[in-house]
Amino acid sequence: MKIIECPRDAMQGLAGFIPTEKKIMYINALLKVGFDTIDFGSFVSAKAIPQLRDTAEVLEKISWQGSPSKLLAIVANTRGAEEASRYPGITYLGFPLSISETFQQRNTNKSIAEALNTVEEIKNICGRSGKKLVTYISMGFGNPYGDSYDVALVGQFVDILVTLGSDVVSLADTIGVSTPENIRYLFANLAKQFPKTEVGAHLHSTPQTAKEKIRAAYEAGCRRFDGAIRGYGGCPMAKDELVGNIATETIFAYLDEQNVTFSADRKAFAEAQALADVIFPGH
């Protein structure tokens, strides 16, 4: 069982800038919990995501050495991938590939065809630098733009990404349109098609439906879940209203109910939760 904590996603849509010192404090607290991976920042245009313009400075000052957690940084192009690949503390480069042509343009200013070329280029950068590639299929459960979508199309994208060498494929809800029914159906189908591929769930949800979504993905075979403490976050490039991430504590609660063993220092997690209430006041 792999749990990926996503402070990057929690922070990126906030209007008020979180001071660098607070980001460092928060990520250092998360590094003590024992998450498999921490999606901590992004090497993208400061104009596009001003909240994360200090990612390089944060990385240089956090205490990642000795933590069991690996670090993941989001990149949107080869320039960002080259920059991120130079840091020894980063294990994963994450790239958002959309199944929706409209959203791909909104999110990375590329067509899907151009984005697939970028995936190949980033994988080459990963190969040269010893990094691993996580590709997110955003709008993986549908989109609000009227673009084509069905389960077979998702399978085609996963197949392409596996062929291009993506180490992990993560299905991203992006706007919270997933339901327990389509989550279960989609993950069950992908498990049959790609039994050797690590396929993760990056779900967005209201608190009321979060646990049933986790249950659906877990029962369909998913063993990699992204979350954010308190359910903060959402994609600022998708719609005007943000639908938050699955709360990490909800993932913990579901796994505890099912007696699933996973790595987590509960005292450190409680301390990180308390700090989140300071880092994200009023959210």
Side-chain angles (χ1 to χ4, degrees):
M1 174 57 61
K2 295 181 180 180
I3 300 175
I4 288 75
E5 179 64 23
C6 303
R8 183 270 315 168
D9 206 1
M11 294 177 182
Q12 67 179 6
L14 299 179
F17 184 74
I18 297 175
T20 303
E21 294 74 19
K22 286 189 174 182
K23 290 191 178 93
I24 294 166
M25 186 190 311
Y26 187 50
I27 294 170
N28 276 337
L30 296 175
L31 284 164
K32 297 176 182 177
V33 176
F35 295 110
D36 179 85
T37 303
I38 297 176
D39 175 356
F40 82 102
S42 62
F43 289 85
V44 300
S45 163
K47 182 178 180 182
I49 307 290
Q51 183 63 250
L52 300 175
R53 63 181 183 264
D54 57 352
T55 289
E57 185 179 354
V58 169
L59 179 57
E60 289 171 355
K61 294 182 180 179
I62 58 177
S63 303
W64 57 267
Q65 298 95 334
S67 170
S69 301
K70 297 174 283 291
L71 294 179
L72 182 152
I74 297 294
V75 299
N77 51 39
T78 53
R79 181 203 60 76
E82 291 282 9
E83 183 179 1
S85 72
R86 292 195 286 268
Y87 290 92
I90 294 175
T91 298
Y92 293 107
L93 304 187
F95 180 78
L97 174 75
S98 183
I99 208 165
S100 156
E101 190 74 58
T102 303
F103 185 63
Q104 189 69 58
Q105 290 284 356
R106 289 182 63 157
N107 199 32
T108 63
N109 199 31
K110 292 181 175 70
S111 67
I112 290 175
E114 290 170 332
L116 285 170
N117 288 334
T118 301
V119 169
E120 188 169 12
E121 291 166 353
I122 293 173
K123 179 59 183 179
N124 289 335
I125 292 168
C126 287
R128 294 196 302 270
S129 59
K131 309 301 183 187
K132 294 183 178 181
L133 173 61
V134 178
T135 310
Y136 297 87
I137 299 183
S138 60
M139 299 292 171
F141 297 87
N143 65 81
Y145 311 117
D147 294 337
S148 297
Y149 175 85
D150 58 42
V151 173
L153 185 60
V154 178
Q156 291 170 19
F157 269 69
V158 175
D159 189 44
I160 292 168
L161 294 174
V162 170
T163 301
L164 291 175
S166 187
D167 297 284
V168 179
V169 177
S170 191
L171 301 186
D173 190 355
T174 317
I175 53 171
V177 298
S178 63
T179 65
E181 292 74 22
N182 69 12
I183 290 170
R184 184 175 285 106
Y185 184 69
L186 187 53
F187 275 98
N189 274 273
L190 293 176
K192 291 176 184 176
Q193 285 182 265
F194 307 98
K196 296 181 180 179
T197 300
E198 185 176 355
V199 180
H202 183 101
L203 303 173
H204 288 191
S205 177
T206 61
Q208 294 76 18
T209 60
K211 189 173 286 188
E212 286 309 307
K213 291 186 179 186
I214 297 164
R215 181 190 306 278
Y218 184 83
E219 290 180 349
C222 181
R223 295 296 182 268
R224 179 187 175 96
F225 286 86
D226 289 14
I229 286 174
R230 305 296 193 211
Y232 295 135
C235 181
M237 313 301 257
K239 296 178 72 179
D240 291 333
E241 66 272 17
L242 296 183
V243 180
N245 289 284
I246 294 280
T248 309
E249 54 269 29
T250 305
I251 299 173
F252 279 21
Y254 172 76
L255 296 176
D256 285 340
E257 288 172 6
Q258 303 303 310
N259 295 313
V260 176
T261 301
F262 61 99
S263 175
D265 182 322
R266 300 306 176 99
K267 182 175 183 291
F269 183 64
E271 291 171 354
Q273 283 182 293
L275 188 55
D277 294 335
V278 176
I279 299 294
F280 302 94
H283 294 279

